[in-house]
């Protein structure tokens, strides 16, 4: 039974008066997400926040939804306010040595350029590669590769499973930003095996800004020291009536990177949106997204556009780009 896309549109108030093609900048939130936020604040008023520990149980329920979506374990998921925070946690937690290298693609999203560029003052080299020359720039001093799953500029979608396998052979860590993809496209953490995968959910996951998470592989958790430390850093933080004093003993789970309180209202909204995605079916959504993208490419070709997708198989994604001779981008 196919999804009733017309009925699903009714979940999005803005779509009653907008034809919206810009989810790559901001996704529209479904009504149920806004209602979930209102419900959280109503619960606070009703119970005077006396049940705040239960909110963490709600967050754990959301971890399980994310794990279903990504095909990983709930213990692999930590909440962060955005993807920049995740990358900063990674770069700030590794034991860098002068001469180490970080490799990324040319024209990457600024997150993936700014933070690695700042550590160059410690003798670490940032290398920006083309896809065609990517494997050639890898060296014995390459410690980390930083990529986006789908390019925000032209929709380029690197073959992550192939890349990850090649990097594992060489002991190189892989960080992937899935903000421009997850929700529109499926992701299988078990098949791809990134070391870290970060998502700010305000685009294709139809959530508010500030709702984000990161997947941290079990192997990376063994070596990546948390550098955001707070009252929840100790593994027994739920014992709020007798909190540990002294250096924290970290949990083996990814939540050890969260540090303190969570942004519960936006997480409530994300839970509602993820629930909707899982109800529809991630595979069905991906099929629909790619069908619409293919139609748009055909329309652009008919108007005389030249598409990167015509020269490479790696542009079959949720973002469509075209170039028109003698016409500026707008």
């Amino acid at each position: 039974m196919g999804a009733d896309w017309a009925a699903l549109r009714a979940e999005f108030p803005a779509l009653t008066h907008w034809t919206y093609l810009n989810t790559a900048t901001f996704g529209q939130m479904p009504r149920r997400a806004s209602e979930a936020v209102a419900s959280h604040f109503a619960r606070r008023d009703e119970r005077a926040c006396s049940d705040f520990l239960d909110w963490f149980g709600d967050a754990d329920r959301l971890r399980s939804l994310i794990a279903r979506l990504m095909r990983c374990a709930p213990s692999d998921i930590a909440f962060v306010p955005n993807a920049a925070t995740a990358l900063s946690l990674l770069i700030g937690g590794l034991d860098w040595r002068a001469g180490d290298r970080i490799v990324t693609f040319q024209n990457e999203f600024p997150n993936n350029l700014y933070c690695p560029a700042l550590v160059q003052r410690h003798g670490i080299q940032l290398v920006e590669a083309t896809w065609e020359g990517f494997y050639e720039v890898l060296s014995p001093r390459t410690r980390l590769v930083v990529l986006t799953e789908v390019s925000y500029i032209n929709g380029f979608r690197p073959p992550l499973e192939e890349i990850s396998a090649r990097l594992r052979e060489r002991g190189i860590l892989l960080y992937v930003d899935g903000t421009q993809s997850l929700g529109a496209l499926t992701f299988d953490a078990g098949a791809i095996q990134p070391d870290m995968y970060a998502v700010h959910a305000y685009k294709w996951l139809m959530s508010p800004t500030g709702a984000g998470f990161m997947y941290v592989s079990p192997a990376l958790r063994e070596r990546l020291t948390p550098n955001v430390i707070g009252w929840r850093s100790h593994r027994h933080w739920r014992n709020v009536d007798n909190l540990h004093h002294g250096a924290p003993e970290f949990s083996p789970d990814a939540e050890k990177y969260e540090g303190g309180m969570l942004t519960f209202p936006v997480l409530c909204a994300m839970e509602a949106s993820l629930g909707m995605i899982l109800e529809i079916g991630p595979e069905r959504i991906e099929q629909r997204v790619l069908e619409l993208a293919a139609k748009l490419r055909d329309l652009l070709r008919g108007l005389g556009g030249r598409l990167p997708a015509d020269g490479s198989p790696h542009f079959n994604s949720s973002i469509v780009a075209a170039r028109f001779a003698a016409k500026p981008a707008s």
Side-chain angles (χ1 to χ4, degrees):
M1 192 78 178
D4 186 343
W5 300 110
L8 288 168
R9 283 179 63 86
E11 274 271 2
F12 300 89
L15 301 188
T16 61
H17 55 279
W18 283 85
T19 298
Y20 194 76
L21 300 175
N22 202 22
T23 303
T25 298
F26 266 94
Q28 297 301 308
M29 286 204 317
R31 296 180 192 276
R32 65 182 73 184
S34 299
E35 292 167 357
V37 175
S39 178
H40 173 75
F41 283 121
R43 174 179 171 184
R44 289 171 63 110
D45 291 340
E46 178 185 353
R47 304 182 188 180
C49 303
S50 60
D51 62 336
F52 77 93
L53 275 180
D54 294 340
W55 304 351
F56 291 101
D58 298 339
D60 288 340
R61 186 175 63 233
L62 174 55
R63 280 184 224 275
S64 295
L65 291 183
I66 296 168
R68 279 180 56 195
L69 184 66
M70 292 183 53
R71 301 181 184 177
C72 64
S75 58
D76 297 331
I77 301 299
F79 296 111
V80 290
N82 48 52
T85 299
L87 181 55
S88 297
L89 284 166
L90 175 60
I91 290 180
L94 294 176
D95 55 338
W96 296 99
R97 299 179 297 273
D100 287 344
R101 306 174 89 195
I102 300 173
V103 173
T104 189
F105 286 141
Q106 293 178 1
N107 300 315
E108 262 290 354
F109 189 69
N111 279 4
N112 296 349
L113 300 173
Y114 294 169
C115 191
L118 283 176
V119 296
Q120 290 183 104
R121 64 178 181 267
H122 300 298
I124 299 160
Q125 183 181 6
L126 173 63
V127 179
E128 298 177 48
T130 63
W131 165 239
E132 292 74 18
F134 172 69
Y135 291 118
E136 284 68 31
V137 305
L138 301 179
S139 76
R141 296 309 303 268
T142 303
R143 297 280 308 284
L144 174 66
V145 168
V146 176
L147 304 175
T148 47
E149 187 175 7
V150 171
S151 168
Y152 82 115
I153 290 178
N154 55 21
F156 177 69
R157 186 181 182 185
L160 290 180
E161 194 166 346
E162 170 197 315
I163 291 171
S164 182
R166 296 279 289 273
L167 296 182
R168 284 197 303 277
E169 291 173 357
R170 304 181 66 158
I172 300 170
L173 296 174
L174 173 62
Y175 168 92
V176 179
D177 186 332
T179 301
Q180 284 290 14
S181 47
L182 192 66
L185 306 175
T186 58
F187 185 84
D188 188 333
I192 295 173
Q193 299 182 52
D195 294 284
M196 182 178 284
Y197 180 85
V199 178
H200 194 174
Y202 72 103
K203 297 178 186 286
W204 303 95
L205 289 176
M206 310 178 297
S207 302
T209 50
F213 56 88
M214 61 181 183
Y215 162 92
V216 188
S217 73
L220 180 59
R221 298 201 299 270
E222 291 181 0
R223 59 186 289 200
L224 183 66
T225 303
N227 52 31
V228 173
I229 308 298
W231 71 277
R232 289 182 56 240
S233 296
H234 185 67
R235 62 189 303 156
H236 299 308
W237 61 265
R238 290 180 188 265
N239 186 12
V240 295
D241 293 327
N242 187 25
L243 288 173
H244 173 76
H245 285 209
E249 300 169 13
F250 296 117
S251 163
D253 296 346
E255 73 167 12
K256 68 182 176 181
Y257 300 106
E258 293 170 357
M261 274 291 183
L262 299 174
T263 52
F264 292 105
V266 297
L267 295 184
C268 289
M270 180 160 60
E271 180 183 8
S273 291
L274 259 66
M276 182 178 181
I277 288 170
L278 291 167
E279 286 173 17
I280 298 167
E283 291 79 12
R284 182 177 290 158
I285 292 171
E286 177 178 85
Q287 180 182 5
R288 172 72 169 173
V289 166
L290 294 180
E291 286 174 353
L292 292 173
K295 288 181 179 180
L296 180 56
R297 291 189 191 97
D298 287 341
L299 287 171
L300 293 170
R301 290 186 189 99
L303 294 171
R306 293 180 12 244
L307 279 71
D310 293 335
S312 168
H314 300 307
F315 288 86
N316 188 27
S317 74
S318 47
I319 295 179
V320 176
R323 186 181 297 277
F324 291 85
K327 292 185 180 180
S330 61

